[in-house]
């Protein structure tokens, strides 16, 4: 991640967030039996409400846990913010 240019890194992180949000939407919708956007909305709000703060928070976690995959770290952060 540290070798990736900033623009590519931002797109990479946003792609992971989008994937986590959609996966959450599918999981919640299947469990509810009808369209359920609450979890997905929580993830979007957590990340996109203030992207400068979000990227700083994500960067700090990535630097602290360099031995882990970015997707794993983001999944843990999303779980802490929005549950499962």
């Amino acid at each position: 991640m540290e070798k990736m240019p900033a623009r590519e890194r931002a797109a990479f992180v946003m792609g992971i967030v989008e994937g986590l949000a959609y996966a959450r939407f599918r999981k919640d919708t299947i469990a509810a039996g009808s369209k359920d956007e609450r979890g997905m909305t929580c993830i979007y709000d957590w990340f996109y409400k203030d992207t400068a703060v979000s990227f700083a928070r994500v960067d700090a976690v990535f630097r602290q846990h360099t031995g882990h995959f970015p997707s794993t770290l983001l999944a843990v952060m999303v779980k802490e913010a929005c549950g499962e």
Side-chain angles (χ1 to χ4, degrees):
M1 289 296 294
E2 62 272 356
K3 295 178 183 177
M4 192 179 289
R7 292 184 83 162
E8 289 178 20
R9 188 176 182 156
F12 180 74
V13 168
M14 287 188 288
I16 295 170
V17 170
E18 291 293 326
L20 291 169
Y22 183 71
R24 177 64 181 272
F25 168 71
R26 294 280 300 148
K27 177 183 172 233
D28 292 348
T29 295
I30 290 168
S34 61
K35 188 173 169 181
D36 185 350
E37 297 179 349
R38 289 174 293 171
M40 178 180 69
T41 301
C42 177
I43 294 168
Y44 282 144
D45 289 346
W46 168 79
F47 188 78
Y48 290 109
K49 188 170 254 183
D50 188 340
T51 55
V53 169
S54 296
F55 279 115
R57 183 175 50 231
V58 167
D59 252 3
V61 170
F62 284 0
R63 289 181 198 283
Q64 186 178 10
H65 301 283
T66 57
H68 298 282
F69 291 111
S71 55
T72 303
L73 296 173
L74 282 166
V76 169
M77 294 173 76
V78 164
K79 183 178 177 181
E80 288 175 356
C82 298
E84 286 191 63

